[in-house]
Amino acid sequence: DAGVTQSPTHLIKTRGQQVTLRCSPISGHKSVSWYQQVLGQGPQFIFQYYEKEERGRGNFPDRFSARQFPNYSSELNVNALLLGDSALYLCASSLWGEETQYFGPGTRLLVL
Amino acid sequence: AQSVTQLGSHVSVSEGALVLLRCNYSSSVPPYLFWYVQYPNQGLQLLLKYTSAATLVKGINGFEAEFKKSETSFHLTKPSAHMSDAAEYFCAVSLYNQGGKLIFGQGTELSVKP
């Protein structure tokens, strides 16, 4: 079975631009979570979505938003990019009510 | 609030030696605990998890971890290191009904010397 997939794998943007990252969960998983991993640190929780609704939000500014589609795939949007947004963005999927999350390979974003 | 502390940002062992990566957590209620491994330029792979069943948990690639409530610890061990074990290891905690939020430690980079 295919694991969690993310696109694109790499992205370069300039300050002030907007970016959209995409994630497809493992088949049968209805919950998707997003994490930001800055170089040299552990991942930080951004959002969790289930059945197209936000079920959890981390300590990130409103420039960060996400949505989930009827097929349970998800998009993460970041507006007005800052240099500090440069990071590996990880998507994870899980069964609702199941604590184990399975991660995708990530999208590496570089903001210049 | 829950938190995770990984002691030692970098651990170096010789091939065939014991691997011990330390993780302590802070939580007001019994947590779920995880160890993930990250190879260079890749995502996170689940090694093992503790979800209130047996306190000694066996994972993939010969790793295991023991949940010790009295010490609030969940240290990761492997009896004999292999060169392929070189990677970044993350300990994480979550609480039921916390919206899928995993809280990660800072990570420990494991180097294996031939």
Side-chain angles (χ1 to χ4, degrees):
Chain A
D1 287 340
V4 177
T5 59
Q6 294 185 243
S7 63
T9 56
H10 295 81
L11 207 50
I12 300 175
K13 293 286 188 177
T14 57
R15 281 177 296 174
Q17 285 189 313
Q18 175 265 341
V19 68
T20 298
L21 311 180
R22 296 175 176 81
C23 171
S24 292
I26 291 171
S27 178
H29 287 190
K30 299 181 178 181
S31 178
V32 170
S33 298
W34 287 95
Y35 293 80
Q36 179 196 65
Q37 185 181 16
V38 174
L39 194 63
Q41 297 183 20
Q44 297 288 318
F45 173 75
I46 310 175
F47 289 113
Q48 186 198 34
Y49 274 77
Y50 173 71
E51 292 288 5
K52 298 181 289 182
E53 291 189 9
E54 182 184 303
R55 301 299 180 121
R57 171 185 279 261
N59 188 25
F60 280 81
D62 292 343
R63 298 186 296 108
F64 288 77
S65 63
R67 56 179 176 168
Q68 187 177 34
F69 300 96
N71 65 354
Y72 305 110
S73 66
S74 177
E75 287 182 351
L76 175 69
N77 294 284
V78 186
N79 294 321
L81 285 167
L82 304 174
L83 296 180
D85 295 330
S86 295
L88 180 67
Y89 288 86
L90 295 163
C91 174
S93 75
S94 64
L95 295 168
W96 180 248
E98 165 62 46
E99 297 305 313
T100 305
Q101 296 184 30
Y102 299 90
F103 285 80
T107 294
R108 190 165 297 280
L109 172 65
L110 177 61
V111 182
L112 301 176
Chain B
Q2 52 271 32
S3 64
V4 175
T5 301
Q6 292 183 239
L7 297 176
S9 59
H10 189 209
V11 170
S12 182
V13 301
S14 297
E15 192 173 19
L18 171 71
V19 175
L20 171 60
L21 304 183
R22 300 177 186 274
C23 172
N24 288 88
Y25 68 92
S26 171
S27 174
S28 58
V29 296
Y32 297 107
L33 293 159
F34 305 84
W35 276 99
Y36 285 89
V37 61
Q38 186 174 38
Y39 297 100
N41 300 312
Q42 294 188 25
L44 302 176
Q45 180 182 5
L46 179 68
L47 274 178
L48 50 80
K49 62 181 179 181
Y50 167 77
T51 55
S52 75
T55 57
L56 181 63
V57 181
K58 295 187 182 298
I60 62 171
N61 301 338
F63 285 94
E64 62 181 38
E66 185 173 7
F67 173 69
K68 292 187 176 181
K69 184 178 179 180
S70 61
E71 299 177 8
T72 60
S73 69
F74 191 56
H75 302 331
L76 182 70
T77 60
K78 182 174 181 178
S80 177
H82 191 272
M83 296 295 291
S84 60
D85 294 327
E88 187 90 19
Y89 291 79
F90 292 96
C91 181
V93 64
S94 75
L95 298 180
Y96 184 68
N97 281 338
Q98 289 293 304
K101 179 179 179 180
L102 281 173
I103 297 173
F104 286 87
Q106 290 291 91
T108 297
E109 183 181 358
L110 175 65
S111 299
V112 182
K113 299 175 292 186

